[in-house]
Amino acid sequence: MMEDCFILDFNPFDSMNIAKLSFTIQDAHDDDDDDDDDDLTVVAEKGKVACRDYPHSRHLCLRFPFDKTPHEKHCYLCYCYVCDSVAPCEFWTIHCHASEHVEDWKSQRELMRLKIRRQIGF
């Protein structure tokens, strides 16, 4: 019977290091005696991942997860959420903590945008 809806016991948006997964011929033979688990799991990735392969705000970086790594760390595609400039910005020691989930950071981002618009005459 095919289910229309599946409840996952994990977050599919969490990053996963597939390099830690391994499978050998011996693993396949070890499971031959044990028919408890006949499921097959295929882990694959095709194409680009937006928060890893394209420019992204630091708090969305998949290479350096915001909740698991120091905020100062950044990849070559990270940019400052407040300044909208390549990381590290002039105020990176402060701005590296910025995210769209905190109202104060949203306000600072809007102020920075207004400042830039005034400078270029918009």
Side-chain angles (χ1 to χ4, degrees):
M1 184 170 153
M2 188 63 128
E3 295 287 331
D4 289 334
C5 179
F6 295 97
I7 298 174
L8 302 176
D9 59 352
F10 63 94
N11 184 346
F13 299 106
D14 284 347
S15 61
M16 179 177 169
N17 185 354
I18 63 172
K20 292 183 179 180
L21 299 176
S22 65
F23 180 80
T24 64
I25 299 300
Q26 184 62 41
D27 291 337
H29 293 300
D30 289 346
D31 288 339
D32 286 345
D33 299 333
D34 187 11
D35 290 335
D36 293 342
D37 189 5
D38 293 332
D39 292 338
L40 173 67
T41 302
V42 178
V43 178
E45 182 179 297
K46 183 178 179 181
K48 300 276 187 181
V49 177
C51 292
R52 187 194 63 210
D53 300 322
Y54 297 107
H56 50 268
S57 182
R58 167 61 186 100
H59 72 280
L60 299 174
C61 186
L62 287 181
R63 293 179 200 241
F64 298 105
F66 202 60
D67 58 343
K68 297 178 183 170
T69 59
H71 295 171
E72 293 83 7
K73 289 186 100 169
H74 58 86
C75 75
Y76 69 99
L77 292 171
C78 284
Y79 66 84
C80 174
Y81 175 76
V82 178
C83 299
D84 271 336
S85 65
V86 177
C89 70
E90 183 181 351
F91 307 103
W92 188 246
T93 55
I94 298 166
H95 288 177
C96 67
H97 305 292
S99 80
E100 64 191 345
H101 307 293
V102 179
E103 287 301 319
D104 187 48
W105 289 120
K106 285 183 182 181
S107 299
Q108 288 190 39
R109 178 181 171 97
E110 285 305 312
L111 287 173
M112 185 65 76
R113 286 180 172 186
L114 288 172
K115 179 180 174 183
I116 291 170
R117 284 184 190 147
R118 284 186 195 131
Q119 288 176 348
I120 61 174
F122 264 68

